[in-house]
Amino acid sequence: MSERFDALDALRRLSAGEVAFPPEVGGLRILNISLYTYRSFPIRGFHSLCRKAGMQSHALFLKNSRGNCHLPVSETEMAMVADLVRSVDPHLIAISVLHPYVMVAKDLSAALRKLTGAPIIVGGKHPTVFPEQALSYGDYACRGEGELVLLEIIDRLLAGRDFTGITGLWHKDSDGQVVDRGVAPLVKELDLIPFPALAEPDMHFIERNHHQHADPEAAGEVIHIMAGRGCVYQCTYCVNALLTPMHRGNGKPVRLRSVDNVVAELVEAHRRTPNARHVCFHDEVFAMYGEWLADFRDKYKDAVGLPFECELVPKLIREENVRLLVDAGLTEMGFGIQSGDEHVRTVVMKRPGGNDELVAKARVLHDHGVHGRYDLILDNPFESEQDLEESIDLLLRFPQPLQLFTYKMQYFPGYPFTEAALKEGYITQAMLTDEAVAQSTMYNWNFKPHMNWTRRNQLQNALYLFSLNSPLLRRMTLKVRAGRAPLAGLVLDVAAFLFYQYNVRHNPVLVWGRRIVLGLRMLASGDVGTLARLSKRVLGRFRTAHLSR
């Protein structure tokens, strides 16, 4: 191959259906690995890109995220991985790594090195933020977006050359010193990237000691998609606070695909997901531009027509845009509140927007028939009891009923929020080890109610219970808010514990108890049709879950 390989030109040719590599590329085998997410957009994208380039690509999805109930990789599952590696005999292994799964990535890499001499490339958020640390478990660490880097690697493999000198691909030299290769260029034309693989050949899913080839995403009722990349905010608790400055001078961090490209993917995904009833856009900021939205509204309605949900930062929620989205099929929209105290939100978290603005944006959604979903972060050491009271006051001003997702504040090394918490003495360096981060994020990502009988704890539990929209619990909340009802606080603590067991831990006694009660109510009211329909759906999901084990 040429010494002056142009990865962007190769990507353009592949997108146009042209040949970018010689026939010998068909003899190259790659294993792309995702950790703890079947939905991994990067790995699904790399699988498609490698196949389009002509490689023999296999995509392994090792484990699936389960909120606070992650399951560790078992010996049986690791043996399944070993069998797959021996069967594929890859020339290259690529692993996408998020910070919570660094410990798993280390164990996996150690096991892979006993099975194969193929170089291990690690990419994703952790190698991008900490490439030097990522080189402790990967032979190469990709810093930034990986599509162009991957195409350069394919070119080097064909030429029998090593991967040194590729922009964005860090490595160690012969003396063990880290070689800084900067940041990989952003892909400005997202339409050039192949659609993420969905129900393609050579996809492997390992979970609960079971190895299956059928893509679970294709059997679901929701189509998951991203219409763009990047975020306009740099919140101190988010990785974008590090990524956006890193990419300065490297192109716009926020990029949108064309409407035609997005709709084409949805049409193809709907064909492969026959049970789909809904579309979920996972963009951090969806459809910022009115001109794009108007085009999307017309083409989405005609070609797709499914109801959809998305997320948008409050600053960008405008009545005219919401009207266009609703006309297209928008039924749900989420945005982050994160804290009800304006100082904590805007100064500590660097997230713009006052409380009055948040309420106004929530009312815009409500007035247009859009179901609002809101995020709140609890266990925030910068919040006082008074700040939590303000969160309660804010939520009471939102249109009711509301859906609230509550998360536990997480501390990732290097993030501005983490550095501020260290400076104030709220946390210690011991909480930032890979082991500590894994323990917190894999088993305490969602807020877990505490039972320590303090007023602060009762205020947090009251916020956690807001999504139940219970008049009784609201009355208890107001009493605790007023600071004069210890019995009401006890009720909230117990209710929060039971709700957590039901909603997060999926305690079978509580889950089936609720289903039985609801079923009896439907029978008593004569609503046999609804009962039969819901029973069929529950049994179908139970059968699917059983078969996936």
Side-chain angles (χ1 to χ4, degrees), residues 66-69 406 443 446-449 464 498-507:
R66 298 179 182 273
N68 286 7
C69 308
T406 49
Y443 306 109
N446 302 107
F447 173 72
K448 183 177 181 180
Y464 175 67
L498 292 175
F499 183 47
Y500 180 82
Q501 289 296 315
Y502 169 82
N503 192 49
V504 177
R505 300 294 302 181
H506 305 297
N507 184 296

Side-chain angles (χ1 to χ4, degrees), residues 21 46 101 138 154 160 176 234 319 323 330 356 363 369-370 402 441 448:
F21 296 97
F46 293 156
Y101 313 126
I154 295 174
Q234 297 182 48
E319 190 159 0
R323 192 179 297 113
L330 175 70
D356 289 343
R363 292 200 179 280
V370 178
L402 60 77
T441 53
K448 183 177 181 180

Side-chain angles (χ1 to χ4, degrees), residues 287-464:
M288 299 184 300
Y289 310 109
E291 194 173 301
W292 190 96
L293 265 181
D295 191 26
F296 172 81
R297 184 267 313 270
D298 296 336
K299 293 175 178 176
Y300 182 91
K301 284 174 64 176
D302 291 342
V304 184
L306 292 174
F308 68 91
E309 63 181 283
C310 65
E311 293 191 4
L312 197 58
V313 295
K315 283 284 184 189
L316 299 176
I317 296 176
R318 303 183 183 93
E319 190 159 0
E320 59 272 20
N321 288 352
V322 172
R323 192 179 297 113
L324 284 170
L325 286 167
V326 169
D327 193 22
L330 175 70
T331 57
E332 297 184 28
M333 180 181 285
F335 67 74
I337 299 171
Q338 314 311 7
S339 173
D341 180 77
E342 290 189 1
H343 174 80
V344 172
R345 185 191 313 117
T346 61
V347 177
V348 178
M349 293 179 157
K350 294 287 189 275
R351 188 174 182 87
N355 285 358
D356 289 343
E357 181 182 8
L358 296 185
V359 173
K361 301 298 185 172
R363 292 200 179 280
V364 168
L365 299 181
H366 181 265
D367 291 346
H368 287 82
V370 178
H371 181 64
R373 297 180 288 104
Y374 311 105
D375 296 339
L376 196 69
I377 301 177
L378 298 176
D379 280 339
N380 181 345
F382 288 93
E383 285 189 325
S384 64
E385 289 182 9
Q386 182 179 353
D387 297 331
L388 293 171
E389 292 171 358
E390 291 184 18
S391 291
I392 290 174
D393 295 341
L394 174 62
L395 292 179
L396 289 172
R397 294 173 60 194
F398 272 53
Q400 308 294 319
L402 60 77
Q403 186 176 9
L404 186 70
F405 292 94
T406 49
Y407 300 94
K408 179 187 182 300
M409 178 57 73
Q410 303 293 337
Y411 303 98
F412 294 104
Y415 286 27
F417 189 94
T418 301
E419 295 301 311
L422 280 170
K423 182 178 179 181
E424 294 296 328
Y426 293 133
I427 62 173
T428 65
Q429 287 290 347
M431 298 172 63
L432 304 179
T433 64
D434 293 337
E435 295 88 344
V437 170
Q439 183 68 27
S440 177
T441 53
M442 292 177 72
Y443 306 109
N444 294 281
W445 182 259
N446 302 107
F447 173 72
K448 183 177 181 180
H450 310 296
M451 301 288 285
N452 58 19
W453 320 115
T454 64
R455 185 163 186 275
R456 176 185 178 85
N457 177 66
Q458 290 170 349
L459 290 169
Q460 292 202 127
N461 286 346
L463 289 164
Y464 175 67

Side-chain angles (χ1 to χ4, degrees), residues 7 31 38 82-83 105 126 143 150 177 187 210 246 254 262-263 312 325 331 372 397 422 435 465 503 507-508 523:
L31 178 62
Y38 284 177
D83 289 342
H126 182 258
R143 192 174 205 203
L150 179 57
Q177 299 300 307
V187 180
H210 178 72
M246 181 189 305
V254 181
V262 171
V263 169
L312 197 58
L325 286 167
T331 57
R397 294 173 60 194
L422 280 170
E435 295 88 344
L465 292 167
N503 192 49
N507 184 296
L523 279 177

Side-chain angles (χ1 to χ4, degrees), residues 62-171:
L62 179 59
K63 310 295 293 180
N64 199 22
S65 173
R66 298 179 182 273
N68 286 7
C69 308
H70 281 63
L71 299 175
V73 180
S74 69
E75 291 185 6
T76 298
E77 290 165 341
M78 195 61 82
M80 291 175 174
V81 174
D83 289 342
L84 177 61
V85 172
R86 294 188 190 98
S87 173
V88 173
D89 188 21
H91 295 95
L92 178 69
I93 297 174
I95 311 175
S96 180
V97 185
L98 298 176
H99 208 135
Y101 313 126
V102 169
M103 296 303 298
V104 177
K106 289 180 177 179
D107 291 342
L108 176 62
S109 295
L112 291 173
R113 286 194 172 95
K114 295 178 181 178
L115 298 166
T116 175
I120 299 174
I121 313 282
V122 293
K125 294 296 194 319
H126 182 258
T128 293
V129 176
F130 300 109
E132 302 98 328
Q133 295 179 22
L135 289 174
S136 68
Y137 58 89
D139 299 313
Y140 298 86
C142 178
R143 192 174 205 203
E145 295 182 349
E147 287 85 2
L148 299 179
V149 172
L150 179 57
L151 292 177
E152 288 211 45
I153 288 173
I154 295 174
D155 175 72
R156 299 288 185 93
L157 279 173
L158 284 169
R161 298 168 52 206
D162 63 33
F163 308 151
T164 60
I166 297 176
T167 301
L169 195 64
W170 293 41
H171 62 95

